[in-house]
Amino acid sequence: MSKQSLVTEATRAAAASGAASDVVDEAAASAFGVNRTDLRIIGLVAAAETLTAGELATQARLSPAATTTAIQRLTHAGHLTRRTATEDRRRAVVELTPEAARLLEEIYAPIERAGRAILEDYSAEQLAVVVEVLRRGEEMQLRQAERIRGL
């Protein structure tokens, strides 16, 4: 295959991989009984373990009002808990409930294991290239998201 053909094939494979991730996230949102934004919030809280509402708004790129509404919705659904921060009683922090953490693990841990099994087939040098491509792709996607927001 020519380099141009491989570039085209890699571009198509990246798009297909992104679309497959969307299908997984849609199924995960359905399993949680939430929308995709709420699933993203669950993921952000899981990654940080504890977030203030303001930190969550910034990371989720939502307004404070939209974040508060989502927190209320997710708390009511049993996915988040909200409590006063011990270090600053004026702030509230959110955390996953044990049930939400369990469901997140049930959904995504098998995917992580399967992905790791695939990566084990590659040499250290090949993995270094994969990591570089994925990181550069992430940076490019985030830049494009900023560009699109500016339209």
Side-chain angles (χ1 to χ4, degrees):
M1 282 183 113
S2 69
K3 181 176 179 178
Q4 190 56 45
S5 295
L6 287 169
V7 167
T8 299
E9 188 61 28
T11 302
R12 288 180 182 154
S17 179
S21 290
D22 285 344
V23 171
V24 168
D25 286 343
E26 189 63 41
S30 179
F32 270 97
V34 300
N35 62 43
R36 294 285 297 275
T37 298
D38 287 355
L39 180 68
R40 194 168 84 243
I41 288 171
I42 289 168
L44 290 169
V45 173
E49 295 183 11
T50 304
L51 284 174
T52 66
E55 291 167 338
L56 183 56
T58 299
Q59 289 186 26
R61 302 182 74 62
L62 296 172
S63 70
T67 303
T68 298
T69 300
I71 289 170
Q72 290 171 342
R73 193 170 47 244
L74 289 166
T75 300
H76 181 73
H79 300 312
L80 294 181
T81 60
R82 184 179 184 149
R83 64 173 173 80
T84 303
T86 54
E87 63 280 353
D88 183 352
R89 311 264 328 143
R90 296 169 296 172
R91 302 183 95 160
V93 294
V94 293
E95 300 169 320
L96 287 186
T97 62
E99 178 59 26
R102 184 204 59 74
L103 184 55
L104 202 60
E105 177 78 9
E106 184 179 341
I107 290 168
Y108 288 104
I111 297 167
E112 181 181 357
R113 286 191 300 274
R116 283 181 166 277
I118 290 169
L119 293 172
E120 289 291 336
D121 291 341
Y122 295 92
S123 70
E125 294 80 17
Q126 289 172 315
L127 289 172
V129 173
V130 169
V131 168
E132 179 187 2
V133 168
L134 292 173
R135 287 194 175 140
R136 289 180 67 191
E138 175 188 16
E139 291 168 6
M140 179 273 299
Q141 292 281 9
L142 293 173
R143 282 192 310 273
Q144 292 302 315
E146 286 299 317
R147 179 191 62 80
I148 293 165
R149 283 186 193 98
L151 295 178

